[in-house]
Amino acid sequence: MSEQEYDTVIVGAGFAGLYALHKFRDGLGLSAVVIEAGDDVGGTWYWNRYPGARCDIESYSYSYSFSEELQQEWCWSERFAGQPEILRYLNHVADRFGLRSDIRFGTRVTSASWDDDSRRWTVVTDGGEQLVCRFLVSGVGNLSAAKDPEFDGLERFGGNVYATARWPHEGVDFTGRRVGVVGTGASGIQVIPEIAKQAAHLTVFQRTPNYATPIGNGAMDPEFDRYVKANYAALRDRSRNHFLGVPYDLVQPSALALDDTERRRVYEQRWAQGGFRLFFDAFADLVFDEAANDTAAEFIREKIRQRVTDPRVAEVLAPTDYPYATKRPPLETNYYETFNRDNVTLVDLRSTPIERVTAAGVRTSDSEHELDDIVLATGFDAMTGPLLRMNLTGRNGTPLAERWADGPRTYLGLMVHGFPNLFLITGPQSPSVLYNMPLAIEDHVDWIADCITHLREQGSASIEPTPDAEDGWVAETAQLAGNTLLPRTDSWYMGANVPGKPRVCMVYLGGAPTYRQICSDVVAKGYEGFALAPEGATANA
Ligand code: NA7
């Protein structure tokens, strides 16, 4: 087995890994290599190539802020860019900053273990390489480990099976075909209207209806583009001071403080604006107060009933048994109108569950749906899945899977006790998926870079959280979640979409601005809650 030594091994060449490589290699002068399973850069945007895939935060926001030149030179063609354009952007970033030469494509980390004597990580890849490094940085993302299919008989299906999370590069032509889509989360809601336009017949298998609201996409207005470019620094500053990391500023304290007419006016306006305005820029108490939430939920249900012509179909599509935004709210274009088409059928899996997949199609409890193609849009082993699949082993040979048997345990969502010098970019228990990801990533990479600089200045070989600091953070994230309506709903935020996964909220819900303040206070107080070990010594065990 060949062995190579680096200061830093970074896993993943998506938004996180690309910026981490640039920062550590070009900013800190560290030797760094990126290990990437895909054959090219892009991460999420490399794999999720299904028709309709696009970002749900406006592209001028959902992009890097670290380089003013990059911000000024890149032009988005749409308000919410589609997957091909985001992938072109990430390729541009890789080329512009000369990143490709330090990325190992088509290579997967199969294990990594910490050695307390040498104070090094040893990373093993599926290519039989062994990389030894001081710092192991995860840029594997929160939604990159697709859930394993849960349907008996899938291997006997006579047609094609596709997964939105691993879409064929050459695309798929559904013309004249009978297609079934399983799953109506964000991915299903994006892909369903696109497949319906092409297929002879589309059958949508829905288990839980979603509160989807219009994305409001369109061509990027050149005047708005000029405005953004003239004001980028201020917009980024406002974004970093907003819960979701976007420059929204219309939110009002409570949905219950207004009368029906005024409240409806606010909802109608946010509905028309699109994006996450309804979710994050209407009323601040929607995910905290059930009565407030009901007002938004009912507003969306009314919209669904207005848009879907068959009232029985509308009732199946309208969620009634969980609060709005306690599952990640999807954004849509013509999603509900798709169910008015003659070639689309909705199957309610709650009343007629899938029994198995047969050679001819999908067998539910009351009928057999004959299909040529099955599209799985069934989601991810979110947040912890991508980390656990790397088989990380900390001090004394303790597997991360064992440490996290009851759910993730981190300090700041950045580090884990017993796993020194392992940094998690947008790890569980950080704001992560509820903070505009490129900014969340930049904040974390910058924090990690400062931390590594601090270690060098102190002559320290390693850093890890103390058990107390980690316990405190786990308790704080749980308490914050407990103040919201999120824990009552089965969602991937809670790990509830994967059978057998511990049910805990994996997202820090105190908001990105509070979180950023906590992270800088920790640094200002000399890395409070962390134990540093000098060269040659054993860290706090
Ligand atoms: P999601 O949001 O987890 O959606 C997965 C969908 O698949 C959802 O409707 C699930 O129903 C359904 N599902 C999952 N497993 C099954 C089984 N076994 N049977 C029937 N239906 C099933 O994943 P997405 O890829 O859409 O989105 C993930 C995130 O990516 C998204 O939130 C954005 O942040 C980007 P359920 O709700 O579990 O009843």
Side-chain angles (χ1 to χ4, degrees):
M1 205 181 252
S2 66
E3 187 174 304
Q4 303 140 64
E5 184 140 4
Y6 296 90
D7 294 321
T8 313
V9 170
I10 299 158
V11 192
F15 265 101
L18 292 179
Y19 179 52
L21 176 60
H22 172 61
K23 183 83 184 180
F24 302 149
R25 186 192 69 180
D26 306 331
L28 297 189
L30 299 176
S31 60
V33 66
V34 176
I35 306 299
E36 167 55 54
D39 289 331
D40 210 336
V41 299
T44 288
W45 302 105
Y46 172 87
W47 297 106
N48 289 263
R49 295 165 183 256
Y50 59 85
R54 69 179 65 253
C55 57
D56 282 345
I57 284 181
E58 288 90 333
S59 290
Y60 76 87
S61 275
Y62 187 84
S63 49
Y64 290 119
S65 71
F66 70 85
S67 161
E68 178 61 10
E69 295 77 18
L70 175 64
Q71 292 192 140
Q72 293 299 329
E73 76 200 10
W74 186 264
C75 292
W76 295 104
S77 68
E78 291 180 283
R79 253 184 95 192
F80 298 85
Q83 173 273 335
E85 189 169 12
I86 303 172
L87 192 57
R88 279 200 298 282
Y89 170 76
L90 290 170
N91 274 276
H92 170 73
V93 171
D95 293 334
R96 191 188 196 290
F97 297 98
L99 302 176
R100 285 177 199 286
S101 53
D102 290 306
I103 305 175
R104 304 268 172 88
F105 292 111
T107 307
R108 197 174 275 280
V109 171
T110 52
S111 69
S113 48
W114 170 255
D115 176 41
D116 228 15
D117 295 328
S118 64
R119 327 241 94 229
R120 298 279 190 284
W121 281 95
T122 299
V123 179
V124 179
T125 73
D126 58 359
E129 292 164 308
Q130 203 163 284
L131 312 175
V132 175
C133 62
R134 173 77 79 183
F135 304 107
L136 178 58
V137 179
S138 164
V140 294
N142 301 110
L143 293 154
S144 53
K147 234 171 44 138
D148 296 328
E150 291 157 359
F151 307 106
D152 283 348
L154 193 61
E155 66 292 344
R156 287 196 298 278
F157 178 56
N160 304 306
V161 179
Y162 303 102
T164 49
R166 202 166 265 251
W167 202 255
H169 285 214
E170 62 281 11
V172 183
D173 184 2
F174 290 112
T175 308
R177 301 187 62 87
R178 297 164 304 170
V179 185
V181 174
V182 187
T184 53
S187 306
I189 283 170
Q190 288 185 334
V191 83
I192 284 164
E194 297 302 317
I195 296 179
K197 287 182 212 163
Q198 225 182 32
H201 195 88
L202 171 64
T203 307
V204 175
F205 297 91
Q206 172 194 280
R207 188 163 65 182
T208 310
N210 242 312
Y211 294 96
T213 61
I215 190 167
N217 193 27
M220 186 73 173
D221 172 9
E223 198 176 320
F224 183 63
D225 189 45
R226 278 193 293 280
Y227 163 79
V228 166
K229 287 188 164 133
N231 295 281
Y232 238 137
L235 287 166
R236 295 299 197 176
D237 197 48
R238 271 171 58 199
S239 301
R240 284 197 152 90
N241 285 298
H242 184 276
F243 196 107
L244 186 65
V246 285
Y248 296 171
D249 53 10
L250 296 171
V251 73
Q252 301 182 33
S254 173
L256 303 176
L258 304 185
D259 65 26
D260 277 355
T261 314
E262 269 305 291
R263 188 165 49 231
R264 173 169 289 277
R265 194 188 57 74
V266 170
Y267 285 142
E268 289 287 3
Q269 191 204 31
R270 306 301 190 273
W271 179 271
Q273 284 175 307
F276 284 129
R277 292 278 180 177
L278 191 85
F279 173 24
F280 260 101
D281 208 23
F283 300 107
D285 57 351
L286 295 186
V287 295
F288 295 97
D289 185 303
E290 194 171 354
N293 192 292
D294 278 348
T295 65
E298 187 50 31
F299 175 81
I300 298 168
R301 281 191 290 267
E302 276 177 31
K303 292 286 189 190
I304 296 171
R305 290 181 197 121
Q306 284 162 14
R307 292 170 64 183
V308 178
T309 43
D310 182 336
R312 285 164 310 174
V313 175
E315 281 320 302
V316 176
L317 286 168
T320 50
D321 60 354
Y322 68 94
Y324 167 58
T326 53
K327 275 176 179 288
R328 199 283 210 169
L331 301 183
E332 53 83 28
T333 305
N334 291 328
Y335 176 65
Y336 292 109
E337 287 75 11
T338 299
F339 294 92
N340 298 335
R341 297 175 64 110
D342 292 340
N343 70 332
V344 176
T345 308
L346 178 65
V347 175
D348 176 13
L349 297 181
R350 284 182 164 174
S351 54
T352 58
I354 293 177
E355 286 182 346
R356 63 184 177 280
V357 176
T358 64
V362 169
R363 170 90 219 163
T364 58
S365 59
D366 75 341
S367 48
E368 172 122 11
H369 302 270
E370 290 193 1
L371 301 169
D372 301 312
D373 302 305
I374 296 176
V375 174
L376 297 175
T378 44
F380 298 87
D381 182 356
M383 317 287 293
T384 51
L387 294 164
L388 293 173
R389 290 184 188 190
M390 281 194 290
N391 298 313
L392 303 175
T393 306
R395 179 179 301 111
N396 303 327
T398 304
L400 187 65
E402 191 179 306
R403 283 278 282 123
W404 285 9
D406 297 325
R409 304 187 56 78
T410 73
Y411 180 40
L412 306 175
L414 268 163
M415 299 200 81
V416 182
H417 174 69
F419 293 74
N421 291 1
L422 168 67
F423 293 99
L424 312 177
I425 303 173
T426 69
Q429 294 164 346
S430 75
S432 58
V433 293
L434 280 176
Y435 181 25
N436 179 9
M437 290 306 295
L439 300 194
I441 285 163
E442 287 180 339
D443 290 355
H444 266 183
V445 171
D446 292 349
W447 192 96
I448 296 165
D450 288 346
C451 178
I452 292 175
T453 303
H454 178 73
L455 294 183
R456 289 203 293 200
E457 285 167 3
Q458 299 288 310
S460 297
S462 66
I463 182 168
E464 66 182 299
T466 64
D468 282 355
E470 189 177 274
D471 288 349
W473 189 253
V474 172
E476 187 170 341
T477 53
Q479 194 201 335
L480 285 166
N483 294 338
T484 74
L485 303 173
L486 266 66
R488 65 159 70 181
T489 299
D490 287 344
S491 70
W492 57 257
Y493 296 144
M494 299 297 301
N497 65 327
V498 175
K501 192 166 171 173
R503 189 190 174 95
V504 290
C505 183
M506 294 182 287
V507 185
Y508 173 82
L509 290 171
T514 307
Y515 174 80
R516 283 160 50 75
Q517 190 58 50
I518 293 171
C519 288
S520 24
D521 288 350
V522 162
V523 174
K525 291 179 188 160
Y527 288 85
E528 187 179 49
F530 286 101
L532 275 64
E535 283 290 353
T538 300
N540 164 24

